[in-house]
Amino acid sequence: MTVSEGPCRFETANGHAVVTLLPGLNDAPWSEIERVGNDLLDQVRNTPARAMIVDLTALNYMGSALVALIVRVWKVIKERGGQLVVVNRDPMVMEVLRIAGLHSLWTIVETREEAIDALGASPQAETRKRETRFLTWVGPLAVTAAAAGLALLILKVDFVPRTVAVGLALGWSALGALAGTITFARSTGGSRAVGGIVVAASLGLVAATVFFWPDDLAAGAGDGDVPPATAEPAPPADAAPPTADPSAS
């Protein structure tokens, strides 16, 4: 960990950097804030970290000069494809960010622990990343297996019972839908698109499986019904015709 002190504190640790703005900056003249900002930007440019936390918890007010300073830091991080998270608990500071329209551009949390988690730098976040990467591969594989089961059902392969083919199609479709949903919820960009496609494909395979399995469904639905009445047996061919009843005349 490296730390620099002054009107603001700059730290680097575990692959991310932290800029802490201190109350003395609010009372400093513009020229001083400009000097501090230039020094801070040099430190930001020289650090290899692409993840940045801006800690405002020491402030109960923030003027436009400090807002401009954070924006400059954000632009440097954005240019290198990094991510910025702001830590703030004060309602007045939050109102300044909201008026400036920055609350919709930045992730704003209340603690550093939440900020580290939002940056994906915590152990829990790393575990979720690994799980999501794994599920990104599981989803398409499950869709492929479900499609194979559906193909076996449609082609009516003799050595594969229809119930087995249906089980493969529905079971793998369910796994694909689950993996795709989690991937879609946790990811962004291309991985999120893959998750959405996997969910749609899984649901489509379920619908197709039900469509190509009507005979089996109908047979299963008829189990337990009352058996149809048997027809009265026909009389033997050599049987004598019935005689008329004399009393009927």
Side-chain angles (χ1 to χ4, degrees):
M1 174 185 292
T2 61
V3 180
S4 65
E5 296 287 347
C8 67
R9 186 181 302 118
F10 182 82
E11 311 167 54
T12 59
N14 299 324
H16 67 277
V18 182
V19 174
T20 303
L21 299 186
L22 303 176
L25 275 176
N26 275 321
D27 300 325
W30 180 274
S31 58
E32 176 66 11
I33 296 176
E34 184 74 11
R35 184 192 64 79
V36 170
N38 291 334
D39 293 342
L40 177 60
L41 290 176
D42 288 339
Q43 290 177 302
V44 173
R45 292 189 181 98
N46 292 330
T47 180
R50 296 171 58 189
M52 176 72 66
I53 297 173
V54 176
D55 191 340
L56 305 179
T57 53
L59 305 180
N60 55 19
Y61 168 75
M62 186 168 63
S64 59
L66 293 192
V67 174
L69 174 59
I70 302 173
V71 170
R72 293 172 67 189
V73 172
W74 171 57
K75 288 182 176 180
V76 172
I77 295 297
K78 187 178 179 181
E79 287 173 358
R80 64 171 65 172
Q83 183 181 3
L84 182 141
V85 177
V86 175
V87 182
N88 173 64
R89 290 192 292 266
D90 189 273
M92 291 187 65
V93 174
M94 186 64 195
E95 184 63 21
V96 171
L97 296 175
R98 185 175 291 108
I99 292 174
L102 299 173
H103 67 291
S104 60
L105 298 176
W106 300 338
T107 299
I108 302 176
V109 297
E110 294 187 353
T111 66
R112 281 202 187 186
E113 289 75 16
E114 291 178 289
I116 293 173
D117 191 60
L119 290 173
S122 68
Q124 296 82 0
E126 287 295 333
T127 300
R128 283 199 298 271
K129 280 185 177 180
R130 287 193 294 269
E131 291 174 351
T132 302
R133 284 195 294 266
F134 174 72
L135 291 174
T136 303
W137 287 100
V138 168
L141 291 176
V143 168
T144 302
L150 178 60
L152 293 173
L153 177 65
I154 296 173
L155 297 175
K156 299 181 180 180
V157 179
D158 294 336
F159 60 86
V160 178
R162 290 174 65 79
T163 53
V164 173
V166 170
L168 287 173
L170 295 181
W172 285 107
S173 293
L175 178 60
L178 177 62
T181 300
I182 296 175
T183 302
F184 183 83
R186 289 183 177 181
S187 304
T188 58
S191 296
R192 184 181 178 89
V194 170
I197 293 172
V198 167
V199 171
S202 299
L203 296 178
L205 287 168
V206 170
T209 302
V210 173
F211 176 79
F212 283 104
W213 195 38
D215 296 338
D216 303 73
L217 292 176
D223 293 343
D225 292 344
V226 178
T230 57
E232 183 178 350
D238 58 349
T243 57
D245 188 356
S247 62
S249 58

